[in-house]
Amino acid sequence: MSKLDNNPRSLAVTALTRVKNGAYSNLQLNQMIDQANMSQRDAGLMTTIVYGVIQHRMTIDYQLEPFIKNQKKVADWVMILLETAVYQMQYLERVPKRAIFDESIQIAKTRGHEGIRRFVTGVLHQMDRVGINDPADIDDPIKRQSLTYSVPEWLISAFNEQLGEKKANSVLESINHPANQSVRVATDQISMADATAALEEEGYKVTPSQVSAAGLVLGGKPANQAKLFHDGQITIQDESAMLPAESMHIKPDMMILDACSAPGGKTVQIAGQLSAEERGQVVALDIHDHKVRLVQQNAKRMHVDDRVVTQAIDARKIQTVFEDQTFDEILVDAPCSGIGLVRRKPEIRYEKQLKDVQALSKIQLAILDAVAQKVKINGIITYSTCTILNQENRDVVSAFLADHPNFESQRVVTDRDLKADRTTDYLEIYPDDYDTDGFFIGQFKRVR
């Protein structure tokens, strides 16, 4: 590898170019960190730049616009190189401007030709001389919020309408913070105390989760390097993503359906509370074969594959396969817009539109309709999403209960009794509540 190949700023440009062409930011970063021979510090800088540019892209492009006459004629990687420079100038206080300019111009020269080097040099120096636009000066309030937080206007409007402006601003402020690194401990295999001690011995900074009883927040190095991870005693999972399974009423001998299971984080969490000796089992469905294989791999790694049965099927067609089978409990962790994951997957905000949200809410209801006949009387359906939009959450719950008088809303209770003073049965977790992903959980009990 050349020196440039190990340069964190150059690698950030490569990663961002691939993300722009459809790669997932988190997967792309993991792959490049594994392949490049970088120090932990350089890997951290690359990660910060990649997430930072994606998080603030609309703001950065607004600030670059006056200095580039025709952005469409500029090659993607050159535009991205300029975005990384502006991001560092605006958001990384400890990085000297001279270092940003020198590195950016050197990357332009090495990766491109003399004309590109001159272009990048000219843009950076002109920005330095003239100064850049401040979104706070924009008169239109929606546009101002949009370009301040780098979030599309339709989403700004939805947040303001559904949350009120104060809560909306708090959520918007929080989604550009770095995501915590959290793991769930497989407490069927190791105690929280022993897991904490083992991780600390390996040099991790370990903090108990304030959200999930089985969660730990780790600092210091990637969680997948831990011995406990390789031994299948911890798994990487956001704290709020642990709550749907945690809130279920699982007994060791139950037959449970996980209707939308891939990649299997919640499947293995459920399976860890079941007993193969008592014939407890979780049936895990997903529409795609390759995703079902991920669930199988996850179950094997976490030593619960003796309690997991997988099948590639669209949950909306469950009646065609499980004609006579019913389940004690059902989890529908529904396909959704993923707006609650914006901190962890920042590109989501640019990829989704209101019409996508409306289409997904119909799919969510169709899945609930299909599985409603498969839960036993007195059994419970747990419905969860990783979004914070009412169309996919509150509205779906209301529509389901209105269409199914044989179900009653149940209060969602977690081990930490989160939001104990709320007036709703369903539980809403916003990104600013606990510094986690946004999540929604509702529960319905079949009464006849």
Side-chain angles (χ1 to χ4, degrees), residues 116-308:
I116 289 174
R117 185 197 68 78
R118 282 201 306 269
F119 171 72
V120 168
T121 304
V123 170
L124 291 177
H125 285 294
Q126 193 184 0
M127 289 180 77
D128 195 32
R129 278 195 310 273
V130 176
I132 54 179
N133 291 331
D134 185 347
D137 297 333
I138 297 170
D139 291 333
D140 181 285
I142 298 294
K143 189 175 183 184
R144 183 171 62 244
Q145 271 182 300
S146 174
L147 288 171
T148 297
Y149 297 112
S150 194
V151 170
E153 290 185 18
W154 76 266
L155 206 43
I156 295 287
S157 297
F159 285 169
N160 283 336
E161 185 185 322
Q162 295 177 13
L163 305 176
E165 198 170 334
K166 185 180 177 185
K167 179 67 172 176
N169 278 325
S170 178
V171 169
L172 289 161
E173 183 72 41
S174 76
I175 61 174
N176 289 330
H177 294 169
N180 288 329
Q181 177 177 231
S182 56
V183 296
R184 182 181 61 78
V185 177
T187 50
D188 56 312
Q189 299 177 52
I190 186 170
S191 70
M192 295 298 290
D194 287 348
T196 300
L199 289 163
E200 286 177 341
E201 200 172 310
E202 280 196 66
Y204 289 94
K205 183 186 175 191
V206 184
T207 310
S209 168
Q210 59 176 328
V211 175
S212 172
L216 297 172
V217 179
L218 302 188
K221 55 185 173 178
N224 63 0
Q225 294 177 7
K227 185 176 185 297
L228 290 186
F229 180 84
H230 293 291
D231 292 347
Q233 294 180 309
I234 62 170
T235 189
I236 297 167
Q237 193 172 10
D238 187 77
E239 296 163 85
S240 53
M242 303 174 198
L243 297 176
E246 184 183 289
S247 69
M248 293 171 72
H249 309 78
I250 300 168
K251 292 176 183 163
D253 61 348
M254 280 186 167
M255 178 67 73
I256 294 178
L257 176 70
D258 186 352
C260 314
S261 64
K266 297 176 187 66
T267 305
V268 299
Q269 188 177 356
I270 292 166
Q273 299 174 66
L274 300 173
S275 164
E277 290 76 23
E278 295 187 50
R279 301 174 70 105
Q281 196 173 76
V282 53
V283 177
L285 311 182
D286 200 86
I287 195 168
H288 300 293
D289 282 312
H290 69 281
K291 289 193 172 180
V292 166
R293 285 193 290 276
L294 287 178
V295 179
Q296 293 164 349
Q297 289 163 14
N298 219 333
K300 190 168 186 179
R301 189 180 75 78
M302 299 298 289
H303 316 294
V304 293
D305 46 324
D306 58 342
R307 285 151 273 172
V308 176

